[in-house]
Amino acid sequence: MSDQQGAAGTGETEEFAHVSVMVSEVLEYLAPKSGGRYLDGTLGLGGHSSAIFEAAGGDISLLGIDRDSLALDTAQKRLAPWGDRASFFQGSYSRFEEFMDELGWDTLDGALLDLGVSSIQLDDADRGFSFLHDGPLDMRMGASEGDAPAHRLVNKLSHAELKAIIHRLGEEPMAGRIARAIIEARSKEPIENTARLADIVEQAYPAKWRATARRHPATRTFQALRMAVNRELEELAYFLEHITERLAPGGRVVVISFHSLEDRAVKHTFRDEAKGCNCPRNVPVCRCGRVPRLKVLTKKPLTPSEEEVARNSRARSAKLRAAERLVEAA
């Protein structure tokens, strides 16, 4: 599931006119093999999973997870040709171990995350993800999971809390001004829709900044609120902490991220798992006993080709990292 998924696709029917990001790179680093078990933790419309099935000649088992019921229904139709080789669960990918246990799976031969918000969510005004379409200020990827909608955060959080979210998750230099503008506006009337919030944020920007901005001033604020509503960094942190132990020897994990904080979390986790020992630097001999569990396959993050970005501008900020589970010494 990715906010970088676009329009037309190779080998896709009109019903699924949708391109998943960096498909060839995913297949290269995931290296799906016949008889393997694979996790697609952000199933979306099933583009990556369909490609994984095709690359392995259909002879794999797939666990597909998505928070969004509409995306899940669409993916199930798309992957119907592979019958019961594909199993589907609605929920966050951080619950992958629970779903594996339901299937009786101990380990995985590969795991994929494509982070962000899908095009069908961005383009549906009623979901409240986009400032380009007026709609209720919601932003929940899965309404059944109990997450508070964005309008509740916007209308209830203190100035300090709003500023912290917008600054940290949106990396927004105007976070303080925007938070003050939100507090002032909601004192007159609750902020319930996307168009009003976008206008409040835009007007909080200095006029000179608005005139020279390359993108809409509300971009970072909407991103920050979406990530807060769906606890995206927390979900990723849990996944990264637990995925290595559920990979079979030689199993691979591939993560596509679109945010510097997400990419940093993946980079640091892969690096630490590849290093093993986490003793302080001033300790001459390892005392922790940790051994390397991963081999990093991408020294630097891969990015989409110029051709892919030309076809799908939403792909431009994608970064892919991959790692492989090592065989532990007896």
Side-chain angles (χ1 to χ4, degrees):
M1 184 171 62
S2 158
D3 54 350
Q4 316 307 315
Q5 295 168 335
T10 303
E12 297 186 356
T13 66
E14 188 173 341
E15 181 182 3
F16 304 116
H18 166 92
V19 164
S20 298
V21 171
M22 303 181 74
V23 173
S24 61
E25 293 88 346
V26 166
L27 295 179
E28 177 184 355
Y29 283 92
L30 198 61
K33 60 184 181 181
S34 179
R37 290 174 171 173
Y38 293 88
L39 163 69
D40 187 342
T42 47
L43 186 61
L45 301 186
H48 283 122
S49 286
S50 180
I52 293 168
F53 266 110
E54 291 175 1
D59 185 26
I60 62 167
S61 297
L62 178 90
L63 164 55
I65 305 172
D66 205 285
R67 288 179 168 187
D68 191 303
S69 59
L70 177 59
L72 203 61
D73 288 344
T74 305
Q76 285 182 278
K77 294 176 183 176
R78 183 179 200 158
L79 300 175
W82 288 281
D84 60 5
R85 288 185 175 276
S87 301
F88 305 93
F89 292 87
Q90 183 175 0
S92 169
Y93 63 80
S94 65
R95 298 171 60 192
F96 78 97
E97 291 178 294
E98 171 190 338
F99 300 141
M100 284 179 63
D101 291 343
E102 284 196 40
L103 294 175
W105 292 11
D106 294 324
T107 59
L108 298 163
D109 295 291
L112 169 68
L113 290 186
D114 178 11
L115 304 171
V117 59
S118 71
S119 293
I120 60 170
Q121 293 167 335
L122 280 174
D123 297 337
D124 184 351
D126 290 339
R127 303 297 297 273
F129 285 98
S130 175
F131 49 80
L132 299 176
H133 313 287
D134 191 23
L137 194 56
D138 194 317
M139 300 191 186
R140 289 174 293 177
M141 292 180 180
S144 63
E145 291 195 320
D147 297 324
H151 68 79
R152 193 176 302 172
L153 302 185
V154 167
N155 289 295
K156 297 296 183 182
L157 296 184
S158 67
H159 173 271
E161 291 169 325
L162 282 171
K163 178 182 176 182
I165 286 174
I166 297 169
H167 177 71
R168 177 170 176 258
L169 300 181
E171 299 179 304
E172 171 58 74
M174 294 287 107
R177 290 174 64 110
I178 292 169
R180 283 194 297 273
I182 290 173
I183 298 292
E184 181 179 351
R186 80 188 192 191
S187 69
K188 301 171 184 176
E189 182 183 358
I191 304 168
E192 302 288 348
N193 65 300
T194 57
R196 183 166 179 236
L197 177 61
D199 183 63
I200 292 166
V201 175
E202 184 173 13
Q203 295 306 312
Y205 257 65
K208 184 180 292 186
W209 282 48
R210 291 200 302 272
T212 58
R214 291 185 298 172
R215 54 185 176 181
H216 195 288
T219 301
R220 289 170 171 166
T221 297
F222 270 66
Q223 171 186 276
L225 289 171
R226 185 205 83 211
M227 294 181 74
V229 164
N230 297 288
R231 306 184 310 278
E232 293 178 34
L233 289 183
E234 292 84 353
E235 297 288 333
L236 178 59
Y238 183 92
F239 175 87
L240 292 172
E241 182 181 351
H242 293 86
I243 187 61
T244 301
E245 62 197 48
R246 299 306 291 262
L247 289 174
R252 294 184 171 190
V253 55
V254 175
V255 181
I256 302 173
S257 61
F258 301 89
H259 189 290
S260 60
L261 293 177
E262 293 171 339
D263 180 60
R264 196 175 305 145
V266 178
K267 172 185 175 181
H268 289 169
T269 298
F270 286 1
R271 180 196 64 192
D272 291 346
E273 289 285 11
K275 183 180 65 174
C277 174
N278 62 0
C279 292
R281 291 185 179 182
N282 61 350
V283 176
V285 179
C286 175
R287 296 176 181 175
C288 70
R290 290 188 70 214
V291 297
R293 300 198 299 171
L294 289 180
K295 174 186 177 182
V296 178
L297 302 177
T298 49
K299 293 183 179 180
K300 294 183 179 180
L302 302 183
T303 56
S305 66
E306 293 181 3
E307 292 77 12
E308 179 169 0
V309 173
R311 293 194 309 267
N312 176 17
S313 62
R314 287 177 172 175
R316 64 184 177 274
S317 59
K319 292 183 178 180
L320 181 150
R321 293 184 187 270
E324 181 179 301
R325 183 70 154 94
L326 296 173
V327 178
E328 292 187 24

